[in-house]
Amino acid sequence: MQQQNPLGEIVRQHEADILADWIKEQLERDRSPNTRISLVREAEVRELCKNFLQHFIQGLQSGQTHNLQGPEWSELRNLLSVFSRDRALQGYTPTETASFIYLLKKPLFARIGQTLAKNSDSLYQAIWTTNDLLDGLGLQVMEAFQKGREEVISRQQQEMMELSTPVVKLWDGILALPVIGTLDSARSQAVMESLLQTIMETGSKIAIIDITGVPTVDTLVAQHLMKTVAAARLMGADCIISGIRPQIAQTIVHLAIDLGGISTKATLADAFRLAMQRAGMNIVSQPARA
């Protein structure tokens, strides 16, 4: 038969005092000039701590204090998962997030000490159980927080990739795609998808891929460019690559990279002029007005 753990009863009996002390610890930390948690309203802190303690007591009274993954702790795990993810999305630090759990130790230890002061064995067991539980919950908070941060980083990377591969309509039937930064496999895929989607939407027949902002062109970058050009051709659009600087030209020659008959120009202006000619339009210079 499982020995009755007095911890759940202690927390239940002293719930109001523990809650008050824990909230006080939270708010004192909130007011620190070095923490971002001060942005959280006091009412939200109180509600969060209250809900946590209620679920914590339910888990303790189940007697399953050695398995936080059991169904008895599911409601508390869900609460902490939502809490940690929200903190991650709001830009809080790991320390600020984990402190929510660890600040509960002081109020709990105080009540345990008062209740079990005359029974050293029970006191030791209750403190050990409490410390083990809160450390375990703290680890769960950090795992959920890390997942939330990874979601933020992934979303930001996706947004930056989308912003860094804009397709611009220069003229009817003429598109320009300025590429800035390193053209790796992931960005190459984004570039291709963005260009093909715009070609389909606009029915454009000419696309200029400007690589002025690409720091280096090696064999891998050239392969990415050729795949993009080939895909555009399958969509019925011809491609011109602009931004071929002297050092890039030398690298292409040195690496014996065959661009497969793709038209190249030194500047975007030269590429646009060629695109206009292919579209059957001539650029005529007008004399300056006096």
Side-chain angles (χ1 to χ4, degrees):
M1 181 176 180
Q2 183 178 3
Q3 185 178 2
Q4 181 66 30
N5 191 321
L7 181 57
E9 186 63 20
I10 292 174
V11 178
R12 189 190 66 80
Q13 290 180 355
H14 299 278
E15 180 180 358
D17 293 335
I18 293 172
L19 179 62
D21 290 348
W22 188 25
I23 291 173
K24 181 180 178 182
E25 294 283 342
Q26 294 281 346
L27 295 179
E28 287 180 354
R29 182 178 179 83
D30 293 350
R31 297 187 182 100
S32 170
N34 297 322
T35 180
R36 224 187 256 233
I37 306 179
S38 57
L39 299 176
V40 181
R41 295 192 301 270
E42 181 174 338
E44 293 176 345
V45 174
R46 293 182 181 278
E47 185 67 19
L48 182 62
C49 293
K50 180 180 178 180
N51 290 338
F52 176 94
L53 272 186
Q54 290 176 349
H55 296 317
F56 187 60
I57 292 172
Q58 291 176 4
L60 291 174
Q61 291 180 334
S62 71
Q64 301 299 321
T65 58
H66 300 292
N67 181 20
L68 289 173
Q69 301 305 316
E72 300 83 4
W73 297 93
S74 61
E75 293 184 0
L76 184 56
R77 291 198 307 271
N78 292 337
L79 183 147
L80 291 178
S81 178
V82 173
F83 159 77
S84 302
R85 185 179 181 277
D86 289 344
R87 288 291 169 92
L89 295 176
Q90 294 166 7
Y92 292 99
T93 67
T95 300
E96 291 169 343
T97 305
S99 67
F100 172 75
I101 296 294
Y102 297 132
L103 288 176
L104 179 58
K105 287 188 175 184
K106 184 178 178 180
L108 280 180
F109 289 161
R111 297 310 180 282
I112 292 171
Q114 292 173 4
T115 306
L116 302 176
K118 297 181 180 180
N119 189 333
S120 59
D121 291 340
S122 297
L123 176 62
Y124 170 80
Q125 183 61 41
I127 290 179
W128 178 266
T129 301
T130 302
N131 193 64
D132 193 43
L133 277 173
L134 293 183
D135 285 347
L137 292 172
L139 288 176
Q140 292 192 10
V141 164
M142 294 312 302
E143 289 178 1
F145 177 85
Q146 182 64 28
K147 290 180 180 178
R149 289 298 297 270
E150 290 173 356
E151 291 178 10
V152 172
I153 293 172
S154 178
R155 187 179 70 249
Q156 290 175 340
Q157 288 177 338
Q158 181 64 29
E159 291 173 351
M160 290 179 64
M161 188 175 295
E162 292 174 355
L163 291 173
S164 65
T165 56
V167 180
V168 182
K169 184 176 180 181
L170 298 180
W171 204 267
D172 289 339
I174 301 176
L175 302 175
L177 174 61
V179 182
I180 301 174
T182 304
L183 192 62
D184 56 16
S185 298
R187 287 204 63 207
S188 174
Q189 183 66 27
V191 165
M192 185 184 299
E193 292 177 356
S194 181
L195 179 60
L196 297 182
Q197 181 66 27
T198 308
I199 289 174
M200 183 183 67
E201 293 174 352
T202 63
S204 299
K205 298 300 181 183
I206 301 173
I208 301 172
I209 303 176
D210 184 69
I211 61 172
T212 303
V214 177
T216 57
V217 173
D218 54 18
T219 304
L220 185 59
V221 172
Q223 289 176 355
H224 291 324
L225 290 174
M226 292 173 66
K227 288 179 181 179
T228 302
V229 172
R233 285 175 175 173
L234 290 175
M235 295 287 294
D238 192 17
C239 288
I240 303 170
I241 297 178
S242 64
I244 305 297
R245 304 184 299 279
Q247 58 270 34
I248 289 181
Q250 293 176 14
T251 301
I252 291 175
V253 172
H254 178 72
L255 296 176
I257 297 174
D258 183 8
L259 293 180
I262 303 170
S263 299
T264 60
K265 289 295 180 181
T267 65
L268 179 59
D270 292 337
F272 182 54
R273 185 178 292 107
L274 176 59
M276 295 285 282
Q277 292 173 357
R278 290 185 178 180
M281 293 175 281
N282 294 321
I283 299 176
V284 180
S285 299
Q286 295 290 341
R289 294 183 179 180

